[in-house]
Amino acid sequence: MRARLVELLRERARERRLRAAGARCAADGFEARVHAELAEELPDEDLGEDLADFLDRHQPGADPEADEELLERVREARDRIARGY
């Protein structure tokens, strides 16, 4: 009886780990998709891997209106990734 209970608990733990790994994979795939879409929209920008880093290191250019639009697009993408949809 005890051996069967231990086996059931191990099986449940394994299933939880698999579900968690699947969720992480889906989240990573979504983040990559959003990042790729943004890179496609802004081919001249070096976005790097982390959008928060891009926002931190971005230097304003000659056109403040274009800079604000760029930063807004990057913020929207970052927020979309954080929300997960």
Side-chain angles (χ1 to χ4, degrees), residues 2-3 5 8 10 14 16-17 20 22 26 33-34 38 40 43 46-47 49 51 53 55-56 69 73-74 78 81:
R2 181 176 169 96
L5 180 59
L8 285 173
R10 284 186 182 148
R14 183 173 105 29
R16 280 193 302 267
R17 283 192 305 274
R33 192 169 55 246
V34 171
L38 185 63
E40 197 172 290
D46 178 19
L47 298 173
E49 291 184 27
L51 297 179
D53 285 343
L55 291 170
D56 288 342
E69 184 179 332
R73 283 184 171 201
V74 174
R78 182 196 58 193
I81 291 169

PDB file of all heavy atoms in Angstrom, residues 2-3 5 8 10 14 16-17 20 22 26 33-34 38 40 43 46-47 49 51 53 55-56 69 73-74 78 81:
ATOM      1  N   ARG A   2       1.854   1.283   0.883  1.00  0.00           N
ATOM      2  CA  ARG A   2       2.726   2.446   0.982  1.00  0.00           C
ATOM      3  C   ARG A   2       3.538   2.622  -0.303  1.00  0.00           C
ATOM      4  O   ARG A   2       3.696   3.742  -0.783  1.00  0.00           O
ATOM      5  CB  ARG A   2       3.651   2.283   2.184  1.00  0.00           C
ATOM      6  CG  ARG A   2       4.574   3.464   2.374  1.00  0.00           C
ATOM      7  CD  ARG A   2       5.402   3.292   3.629  1.00  0.00           C
ATOM      8  NE  ARG A   2       6.447   4.254   3.700  1.00  0.00           N
ATOM      9  CZ  ARG A   2       6.378   5.390   4.370  1.00  0.00           C
ATOM     10  NH1 ARG A   2       5.294   5.673   5.045  1.00  0.00           N
ATOM     11  NH2 ARG A   2       7.387   6.222   4.381  1.00  0.00           N
ATOM     12  N   ALA A   3       4.016   1.537  -0.871  1.00  0.00           N
ATOM     13  CA  ALA A   3       4.790   1.613  -2.110  1.00  0.00           C
ATOM     14  C   ALA A   3       3.918   2.169  -3.243  1.00  0.00           C
ATOM     15  O   ALA A   3       4.379   2.969  -4.063  1.00  0.00           O
ATOM     16  CB  ALA A   3       5.346   0.247  -2.484  1.00  0.00           C
ATOM     17  N   LEU A   5       1.351   4.208  -2.917  1.00  0.00           N
ATOM     18  CA  LEU A   5       1.142   5.626  -2.637  1.00  0.00           C
ATOM     19  C   LEU A   5       2.361   6.451  -3.058  1.00  0.00           C
ATOM     20  O   LEU A   5       2.227   7.497  -3.684  1.00  0.00           O
ATOM     21  CB  LEU A   5       0.843   5.835  -1.150  1.00  0.00           C
ATOM     22  CG  LEU A   5       0.603   7.274  -0.713  1.00  0.00           C
ATOM     23  CD1 LEU A   5      -0.575   7.870  -1.469  1.00  0.00           C
ATOM     24  CD2 LEU A   5       0.370   7.343   0.782  1.00  0.00           C
ATOM     25  N   LEU A   8       2.355   6.712  -6.806  1.00  0.00           N
ATOM     26  CA  LEU A   8       1.359   7.685  -7.272  1.00  0.00           C
ATOM     27  C   LEU A   8       1.840   9.118  -7.065  1.00  0.00           C
ATOM     28  O   LEU A   8       1.662   9.981  -7.938  1.00  0.00           O
ATOM     29  CB  LEU A   8       0.026   7.477  -6.547  1.00  0.00           C
ATOM     30  CG  LEU A   8      -0.800   6.285  -6.996  1.00  0.00           C
ATOM     31  CD1 LEU A   8      -2.000   6.108  -6.066  1.00  0.00           C
ATOM     32  CD2 LEU A   8      -1.253   6.454  -8.429  1.00  0.00           C
ATOM     33  N   ARG A  10       4.947  10.158  -6.918  1.00  0.00           N
ATOM     34  CA  ARG A  10       6.027  10.410  -7.876  1.00  0.00           C
ATOM     35  C   ARG A  10       5.462  10.694  -9.258  1.00  0.00           C
ATOM     36  O   ARG A  10       5.944  11.571  -9.979  1.00  0.00           O
ATOM     37  CB  ARG A  10       6.977   9.223  -7.932  1.00  0.00           C
ATOM     38  CG  ARG A  10       7.897   9.145  -6.760  1.00  0.00           C
ATOM     39  CD  ARG A  10       8.902   8.043  -6.925  1.00  0.00           C
ATOM     40  NE  ARG A  10       9.741   7.971  -5.745  1.00  0.00           N
ATOM     41  CZ  ARG A  10      10.274   6.868  -5.270  1.00  0.00           C
ATOM     42  NH1 ARG A  10      10.078   5.715  -5.883  1.00  0.00           N
ATOM     43  NH2 ARG A  10      11.024   6.908  -4.197  1.00  0.00           N
ATOM     44  N   ARG A  14       5.882  14.127 -11.416  1.00  0.00           N
ATOM     45  CA  ARG A  14       6.418  14.091 -12.778  1.00  0.00           C
ATOM     46  C   ARG A  14       5.474  14.803 -13.745  1.00  0.00           C
ATOM     47  O   ARG A  14       5.903  15.583 -14.591  1.00  0.00           O
ATOM     48  CB  ARG A  14       6.627  12.641 -13.207  1.00  0.00           C
ATOM     49  CG  ARG A  14       7.239  12.465 -14.576  1.00  0.00           C
ATOM     50  CD  ARG A  14       7.582  11.033 -14.870  1.00  0.00           C
ATOM     51  NE  ARG A  14       6.797  10.241 -15.753  1.00  0.00           N
ATOM     52  CZ  ARG A  14       6.065  10.583 -16.794  1.00  0.00           C
ATOM     53  NH1 ARG A  14       5.923  11.813 -17.101  1.00  0.00           N
ATOM     54  NH2 ARG A  14       5.446   9.717 -17.554  1.00  0.00           N
ATOM     55  N   ARG A  16       3.341  17.188 -13.032  1.00  0.00           N
ATOM     56  CA  ARG A  16       3.406  18.630 -12.758  1.00  0.00           C
ATOM     57  C   ARG A  16       4.650  19.245 -13.402  1.00  0.00           C
ATOM     58  O   ARG A  16       4.593  20.337 -13.962  1.00  0.00           O
ATOM     59  CB  ARG A  16       3.400  18.895 -11.258  1.00  0.00           C
ATOM     60  CG  ARG A  16       2.022  18.835 -10.642  1.00  0.00           C
ATOM     61  CD  ARG A  16       2.021  19.406  -9.242  1.00  0.00           C
ATOM     62  NE  ARG A  16       2.938  18.735  -8.346  1.00  0.00           N
ATOM     63  CZ  ARG A  16       2.621  17.713  -7.551  1.00  0.00           C
ATOM     64  NH1 ARG A  16       1.393  17.258  -7.531  1.00  0.00           N
ATOM     65  NH2 ARG A  16       3.515  17.165  -6.771  1.00  0.00           N
ATOM     66  N   ARG A  17       5.780  18.537 -13.306  1.00  0.00           N
ATOM     67  CA  ARG A  17       7.010  19.042 -13.918  1.00  0.00           C
ATOM     68  C   ARG A  17       6.871  19.145 -15.429  1.00  0.00           C
ATOM     69  O   ARG A  17       7.303  20.122 -16.039  1.00  0.00           O
ATOM     70  CB  ARG A  17       8.201  18.150 -13.564  1.00  0.00           C
ATOM     71  CG  ARG A  17       8.725  18.355 -12.152  1.00  0.00           C
ATOM     72  CD  ARG A  17      10.068  17.671 -11.949  1.00  0.00           C
ATOM     73  NE  ARG A  17      10.071  16.264 -12.267  1.00  0.00           N
ATOM     74  CZ  ARG A  17       9.721  15.279 -11.440  1.00  0.00           C
ATOM     75  NH1 ARG A  17       9.340  15.557 -10.218  1.00  0.00           N
ATOM     76  NH2 ARG A  17       9.774  14.020 -11.831  1.00  0.00           N
ATOM     77  N   ALA A  20       4.642  22.109 -16.255  1.00  0.00           N
ATOM     78  CA  ALA A  20       5.371  23.361 -16.041  1.00  0.00           C
ATOM     79  C   ALA A  20       6.378  23.593 -17.167  1.00  0.00           C
ATOM     80  O   ALA A  20       6.524  24.724 -17.653  1.00  0.00           O
ATOM     81  CB  ALA A  20       6.083  23.338 -14.687  1.00  0.00           C
ATOM     82  N   GLY A  22       6.134  22.500 -20.227  1.00  0.00           N
ATOM     83  CA  GLY A  22       5.352  22.856 -21.408  1.00  0.00           C
ATOM     84  C   GLY A  22       4.908  24.308 -21.367  1.00  0.00           C
ATOM     85  O   GLY A  22       4.935  25.014 -22.378  1.00  0.00           O
ATOM     86  N   ALA A  26       5.916  27.274 -24.032  1.00  0.00           N
ATOM     87  CA  ALA A  26       4.910  28.096 -24.712  1.00  0.00           C
ATOM     88  C   ALA A  26       5.184  29.573 -24.473  1.00  0.00           C
ATOM     89  O   ALA A  26       5.083  30.391 -25.399  1.00  0.00           O
ATOM     90  CB  ALA A  26       3.508  27.723 -24.222  1.00  0.00           C
ATOM     91  N   ARG A  33       8.105  35.096 -30.621  1.00  0.00           N
ATOM     92  CA  ARG A  33       7.230  35.518 -31.715  1.00  0.00           C
ATOM     93  C   ARG A  33       6.988  37.033 -31.669  1.00  0.00           C
ATOM     94  O   ARG A  33       7.075  37.726 -32.686  1.00  0.00           O
ATOM     95  CB  ARG A  33       5.922  34.737 -31.654  1.00  0.00           C
ATOM     96  CG  ARG A  33       5.073  34.880 -32.876  1.00  0.00           C
ATOM     97  CD  ARG A  33       3.910  33.907 -32.919  1.00  0.00           C
ATOM     98  NE  ARG A  33       3.059  33.981 -31.745  1.00  0.00           N
ATOM     99  CZ  ARG A  33       2.918  33.014 -30.841  1.00  0.00           C
ATOM    100  NH1 ARG A  33       3.583  31.881 -30.970  1.00  0.00           N
ATOM    101  NH2 ARG A  33       2.113  33.157 -29.817  1.00  0.00           N
ATOM    102  N   VAL A  34       6.698  37.560 -30.470  1.00  0.00           N
ATOM    103  CA  VAL A  34       6.463  39.004 -30.322  1.00  0.00           C
ATOM    104  C   VAL A  34       7.739  39.777 -30.659  1.00  0.00           C
ATOM    105  O   VAL A  34       7.699  40.797 -31.357  1.00  0.00           O
ATOM    106  CB  VAL A  34       5.978  39.344 -28.892  1.00  0.00           C
ATOM    107  CG1 VAL A  34       5.936  40.849 -28.670  1.00  0.00           C
ATOM    108  CG2 VAL A  34       4.615  38.735 -28.639  1.00  0.00           C
ATOM    109  N   LEU A  38       8.274  42.507 -33.750  1.00  0.00           N
ATOM    110  CA  LEU A  38       8.778  43.860 -33.519  1.00  0.00           C
ATOM    111  C   LEU A  38      10.022  44.119 -34.364  1.00  0.00           C
ATOM    112  O   LEU A  38      10.166  45.186 -34.965  1.00  0.00           O
ATOM    113  CB  LEU A  38       9.075  44.075 -32.036  1.00  0.00           C
ATOM    114  CG  LEU A  38       9.501  45.475 -31.636  1.00  0.00           C
ATOM    115  CD1 LEU A  38       8.380  46.476 -31.906  1.00  0.00           C
ATOM    116  CD2 LEU A  38       9.885  45.508 -30.167  1.00  0.00           C
ATOM    117  N   GLU A  40      10.721  42.777 -37.146  1.00  0.00           N
ATOM    118  CA  GLU A  40      10.280  42.906 -38.535  1.00  0.00           C
ATOM    119  C   GLU A  40       9.713  44.306 -38.802  1.00  0.00           C
ATOM    120  O   GLU A  40       9.938  44.873 -39.871  1.00  0.00           O
ATOM    121  CB  GLU A  40       9.215  41.842 -38.811  1.00  0.00           C
ATOM    122  CG  GLU A  40       8.954  41.593 -40.265  1.00  0.00           C
ATOM    123  CD  GLU A  40       8.036  40.411 -40.449  1.00  0.00           C
ATOM    124  OE1 GLU A  40       8.469  39.282 -40.196  1.00  0.00           O
ATOM    125  OE2 GLU A  40       6.871  40.647 -40.826  1.00  0.00           O
ATOM    126  N   PRO A  43      13.173  47.187 -38.728  1.00  0.00           N
ATOM    127  CA  PRO A  43      14.385  46.500 -39.191  1.00  0.00           C
ATOM    128  C   PRO A  43      15.676  47.295 -38.963  1.00  0.00           C
ATOM    129  O   PRO A  43      16.757  46.706 -38.895  1.00  0.00           O
ATOM    130  CB  PRO A  43      14.131  46.284 -40.677  1.00  0.00           C
ATOM    131  CG  PRO A  43      13.130  47.315 -41.055  1.00  0.00           C
ATOM    132  CD  PRO A  43      12.305  47.558 -39.822  1.00  0.00           C
ATOM    133  N   ASP A  46      18.510  47.972 -33.539  1.00  0.00           N
ATOM    134  CA  ASP A  46      19.155  46.825 -32.891  1.00  0.00           C
ATOM    135  C   ASP A  46      18.465  46.614 -31.546  1.00  0.00           C
ATOM    136  O   ASP A  46      18.823  47.239 -30.550  1.00  0.00           O
ATOM    137  CB  ASP A  46      20.642  47.100 -32.695  1.00  0.00           C
ATOM    138  CG  ASP A  46      21.357  45.957 -31.990  1.00  0.00           C
ATOM    139  OD1 ASP A  46      20.818  44.836 -31.986  1.00  0.00           O
ATOM    140  OD2 ASP A  46      22.451  46.199 -31.442  1.00  0.00           O
ATOM    141  N   LEU A  47      17.468  45.745 -31.525  1.00  0.00           N
ATOM    142  CA  LEU A  47      16.658  45.546 -30.323  1.00  0.00           C
ATOM    143  C   LEU A  47      17.365  44.723 -29.257  1.00  0.00           C
ATOM    144  O   LEU A  47      17.037  44.815 -28.084  1.00  0.00           O
ATOM    145  CB  LEU A  47      15.332  44.877 -30.689  1.00  0.00           C
ATOM    146  CG  LEU A  47      14.438  45.678 -31.624  1.00  0.00           C
ATOM    147  CD1 LEU A  47      13.249  44.835 -32.052  1.00  0.00           C
ATOM    148  CD2 LEU A  47      13.985  46.958 -30.966  1.00  0.00           C
ATOM    149  N   GLU A  49      18.364  41.227 -27.196  1.00  0.00           N
ATOM    150  CA  GLU A  49      17.534  40.128 -26.719  1.00  0.00           C
ATOM    151  C   GLU A  49      16.487  40.558 -25.704  1.00  0.00           C
ATOM    152  O   GLU A  49      15.438  39.948 -25.586  1.00  0.00           O
ATOM    153  CB  GLU A  49      18.416  39.039 -26.099  1.00  0.00           C
ATOM    154  CG  GLU A  49      19.256  38.315 -27.129  1.00  0.00           C
ATOM    155  CD  GLU A  49      20.047  37.183 -26.522  1.00  0.00           C
ATOM    156  OE1 GLU A  49      19.610  36.630 -25.496  1.00  0.00           O
ATOM    157  OE2 GLU A  49      21.096  36.858 -27.081  1.00  0.00           O
ATOM    158  N   LEU A  51      14.040  43.547 -24.319  1.00  0.00           N
ATOM    159  CA  LEU A  51      13.445  44.841 -24.674  1.00  0.00           C
ATOM    160  C   LEU A  51      13.617  45.870 -23.563  1.00  0.00           C
ATOM    161  O   LEU A  51      13.743  47.063 -23.838  1.00  0.00           O
ATOM    162  CB  LEU A  51      11.966  44.659 -25.022  1.00  0.00           C
ATOM    163  CG  LEU A  51      11.698  43.781 -26.244  1.00  0.00           C
ATOM    164  CD1 LEU A  51      10.203  43.652 -26.478  1.00  0.00           C
ATOM    165  CD2 LEU A  51      12.404  44.306 -27.470  1.00  0.00           C
ATOM    166  N   ASP A  53      16.243  46.182 -21.696  1.00  0.00           N
ATOM    167  CA  ASP A  53      17.593  46.721 -21.895  1.00  0.00           C
ATOM    168  C   ASP A  53      17.610  47.737 -23.029  1.00  0.00           C
ATOM    169  O   ASP A  53      18.277  48.763 -22.943  1.00  0.00           O
ATOM    170  CB  ASP A  53      18.586  45.602 -22.213  1.00  0.00           C
ATOM    171  CG  ASP A  53      18.958  44.786 -20.993  1.00  0.00           C
ATOM    172  OD1 ASP A  53      18.712  45.260 -19.864  1.00  0.00           O
ATOM    173  OD2 ASP A  53      19.494  43.677 -21.168  1.00  0.00           O
ATOM    174  N   LEU A  55      15.179  49.661 -23.942  1.00  0.00           N
ATOM    175  CA  LEU A  55      14.571  50.903 -23.446  1.00  0.00           C
ATOM    176  C   LEU A  55      15.533  51.670 -22.552  1.00  0.00           C
ATOM    177  O   LEU A  55      15.572  52.904 -22.583  1.00  0.00           O
ATOM    178  CB  LEU A  55      13.270  50.591 -22.706  1.00  0.00           C
ATOM    179  CG  LEU A  55      12.124  50.088 -23.578  1.00  0.00           C
ATOM    180  CD1 LEU A  55      10.978  49.583 -22.703  1.00  0.00           C
ATOM    181  CD2 LEU A  55      11.655  51.166 -24.524  1.00  0.00           C
ATOM    182  N   ASP A  56      16.321  50.942 -21.758  1.00  0.00           N
ATOM    183  CA  ASP A  56      17.277  51.594 -20.855  1.00  0.00           C
ATOM    184  C   ASP A  56      18.424  52.265 -21.612  1.00  0.00           C
ATOM    185  O   ASP A  56      18.891  53.335 -21.229  1.00  0.00           O
ATOM    186  CB  ASP A  56      17.859  50.583 -19.868  1.00  0.00           C
ATOM    187  CG  ASP A  56      16.847  50.151 -18.831  1.00  0.00           C
ATOM    188  OD1 ASP A  56      15.826  50.858 -18.644  1.00  0.00           O
ATOM    189  OD2 ASP A  56      17.061  49.098 -18.203  1.00  0.00           O
ATOM    190  N   GLU A  69       7.540  57.319 -30.886  1.00  0.00           N
ATOM    191  CA  GLU A  69       6.789  56.227 -31.520  1.00  0.00           C
ATOM    192  C   GLU A  69       7.537  54.901 -31.387  1.00  0.00           C
ATOM    193  O   GLU A  69       6.944  53.864 -31.081  1.00  0.00           O
ATOM    194  CB  GLU A  69       6.545  56.540 -32.992  1.00  0.00           C
ATOM    195  CG  GLU A  69       5.696  55.492 -33.677  1.00  0.00           C
ATOM    196  CD  GLU A  69       5.425  55.815 -35.125  1.00  0.00           C
ATOM    197  OE1 GLU A  69       5.413  57.007 -35.484  1.00  0.00           O
ATOM    198  OE2 GLU A  69       5.213  54.869 -35.889  1.00  0.00           O
ATOM    199  N   ARG A  73       6.232  51.598 -29.261  1.00  0.00           N
ATOM    200  CA  ARG A  73       6.096  50.249 -29.854  1.00  0.00           C
ATOM    201  C   ARG A  73       6.850  49.218 -29.035  1.00  0.00           C
ATOM    202  O   ARG A  73       6.367  48.114 -28.826  1.00  0.00           O
ATOM    203  CB  ARG A  73       6.602  50.242 -31.286  1.00  0.00           C
ATOM    204  CG  ARG A  73       5.640  50.853 -32.240  1.00  0.00           C
ATOM    205  CD  ARG A  73       6.150  50.718 -33.637  1.00  0.00           C
ATOM    206  NE  ARG A  73       5.117  51.121 -34.554  1.00  0.00           N
ATOM    207  CZ  ARG A  73       5.077  50.758 -35.809  1.00  0.00           C
ATOM    208  NH1 ARG A  73       6.009  49.987 -36.292  1.00  0.00           N
ATOM    209  NH2 ARG A  73       4.098  51.168 -36.578  1.00  0.00           N
ATOM    210  N   VAL A  74       8.046  49.571 -28.599  1.00  0.00           N
ATOM    211  CA  VAL A  74       8.842  48.635 -27.808  1.00  0.00           C
ATOM    212  C   VAL A  74       8.170  48.396 -26.450  1.00  0.00           C
ATOM    213  O   VAL A  74       8.091  47.258 -25.978  1.00  0.00           O
ATOM    214  CB  VAL A  74      10.291  49.142 -27.637  1.00  0.00           C
ATOM    215  CG1 VAL A  74      11.073  48.252 -26.687  1.00  0.00           C
ATOM    216  CG2 VAL A  74      10.988  49.218 -28.999  1.00  0.00           C
ATOM    217  N   ARG A  78       6.859  44.839 -24.992  1.00  0.00           N
ATOM    218  CA  ARG A  78       7.308  44.355 -23.680  1.00  0.00           C
ATOM    219  C   ARG A  78       6.120  44.044 -22.781  1.00  0.00           C
ATOM    220  O   ARG A  78       6.070  42.992 -22.123  1.00  0.00           O
ATOM    221  CB  ARG A  78       8.204  45.403 -23.019  1.00  0.00           C
ATOM    222  CG  ARG A  78       8.752  44.968 -21.674  1.00  0.00           C
ATOM    223  CD  ARG A  78       9.295  46.116 -20.903  1.00  0.00           C
ATOM    224  NE  ARG A  78       8.242  47.095 -20.714  1.00  0.00           N
ATOM    225  CZ  ARG A  78       8.424  48.331 -20.284  1.00  0.00           C
ATOM    226  NH1 ARG A  78       9.609  48.760 -20.031  1.00  0.00           N
ATOM    227  NH2 ARG A  78       7.403  49.143 -20.109  1.00  0.00           N
ATOM    228  N   ILE A  81       4.323  40.859 -23.904  1.00  0.00           N
ATOM    229  CA  ILE A  81       5.057  39.678 -23.448  1.00  0.00           C
ATOM    230  C   ILE A  81       4.767  39.414 -21.983  1.00  0.00           C
ATOM    231  O   ILE A  81       4.527  38.272 -21.575  1.00  0.00           O
ATOM    232  CB  ILE A  81       6.565  39.840 -23.709  1.00  0.00           C
ATOM    233  CG1 ILE A  81       6.849  39.790 -25.212  1.00  0.00           C
ATOM    234  CG2 ILE A  81       7.360  38.765 -22.976  1.00  0.00           C
ATOM    235  CD1 ILE A  81       8.250  40.209 -25.594  1.00  0.00           C
TER     236      ILE A  81
END
